[in-house]
Amino acid sequence: MNFENIGESISLTEALEKVALYREAYPSTTNAVMFTRDQIDEILEQKDCIGLRIYFAKDEGSSLNTLVLVGTDSEGNDLLEVIKNRGEMSPPYSNYSSLLK
């Protein structure tokens, strides 16, 4: 598979617009989830890993969304040996500085 055209850089203005539209559409859910570099590196260091797939998810009994992160191989298949969840969700953890907040 060819993944050369996946993802793109956007401006801060575009990012602010997209985040605002999301918050308008989903005012009562998670705005962001932060994972550490070590967590992401552990996924990316898997044999044959060429990318990262992020699934939207929900913890049972919670109204907030979360994320599940897995690596992907060159065929686009999920690598399921290392799976990450439980990043720092905002809200409720909102004591960080960002224009996107």
Side-chain angles (χ1 to χ4, degrees), residues 40 42-55 68-74 76-84:
I40 294 169
E42 187 179 350
I43 293 171
L44 295 176
E45 289 170 353
Q46 294 176 97
K47 183 179 187 289
D48 299 324
C49 185
I50 61 107
L52 185 68
R53 179 167 286 123
I54 302 171
Y55 287 96
V68 171
L69 283 64
V70 299
T72 57
D73 67 16
S74 62
N77 300 312
D78 289 346
L79 300 172
L80 302 175
E81 290 183 28
V82 179
I83 302 172
K84 295 294 181 178

Side-chain angles (χ1 to χ4, degrees), residues 20-87:
L21 286 170
Y22 177 84
R23 290 201 180 122
E24 184 178 312
Y26 306 101
S28 299
T29 192
T30 309
N31 295 327
V33 182
M34 194 277 295
F35 290 86
T36 67
R37 181 183 183 124
D38 288 344
Q39 292 167 320
I40 294 169
D41 284 347
E42 187 179 350
I43 293 171
L44 295 176
E45 289 170 353
Q46 294 176 97
K47 183 179 187 289
D48 299 324
C49 185
I50 61 107
L52 185 68
R53 179 167 286 123
I54 302 171
Y55 287 96
F56 297 102
K58 186 172 289 296
D59 287 326
E60 187 173 341
S62 175
S63 63
L64 298 176
N65 293 331
T66 187
L67 300 174
V68 171
L69 283 64
V70 299
T72 57
D73 67 16
S74 62
E75 299 296 317
N77 300 312
D78 289 346
L79 300 172
L80 302 175
E81 290 183 28
V82 179
I83 302 172
K84 295 294 181 178
N85 181 236
R86 304 263 190 259

